[in-house]
Amino acid sequence: MKNNKQYLLLQQTDKKIAVFKDLKTTVVPSRGWVHTFRTALKMSLRQLGNRLNIAPQSTKEIEEREANGTITLNTLRDVANAMDMQLVYGFISKTDSLEQMIENRAREKAIEIVMRTNNTMKLEDQQISKERIEQAISQKTAEIKHEMPKYLWD
């Protein structure tokens, strides 16, 4: 990466999200966390509703909205507070790190660029070897990763 500040930010962010990596394998309960914790605590809909200052039916609707993915973070935060808990949320990279994510995306873009050039050369009967194509992809990947151009995420 050409910008040391950007690289430092990337490293710090990777470090912050590292604590979430073990959560990758956590399976979200089918009825949601609110329902799971409420029933584990033997708290009724009415009791949780009282703590939230809402009707039991509204509490049930909160559980339903969480289960179908339409609940807001503010509502989850309110419910967590009502159950003497704290809402924690974050993002987990599908790759090993953000740097690896950038590497993968840079390689995708490099393949796109090199193969477009190779196709043009093929039309002009100047096709290059597979080894040279792979070398060009590697070089272009390194260049894109270093420069982090705006088109990286297009």
Side-chain angles (χ1 to χ4, degrees), residues 3 5 31 54 76 96 103 109 123 128 134 139-140 149 153:
N3 186 335
K5 186 177 176 185
R31 295 181 72 181
I54 60 175
L76 282 175
D96 289 338
E103 172 87 27
K109 292 307 255 185
L123 293 172
I128 56 178
E134 191 51 48
Q139 288 172 340
K140 192 64 177 173
W153 301 106

Side-chain angles (χ1 to χ4, degrees), residues 3 5 9 18 64 78 88 92 103 110 112 114 124 130 136:
N3 186 335
K5 186 177 176 185
L9 177 62
E64 290 168 355
D78 291 344
V88 178
I92 303 171
E103 172 87 27
E112 206 177 283
V114 170
E124 297 171 359
K130 289 185 190 242

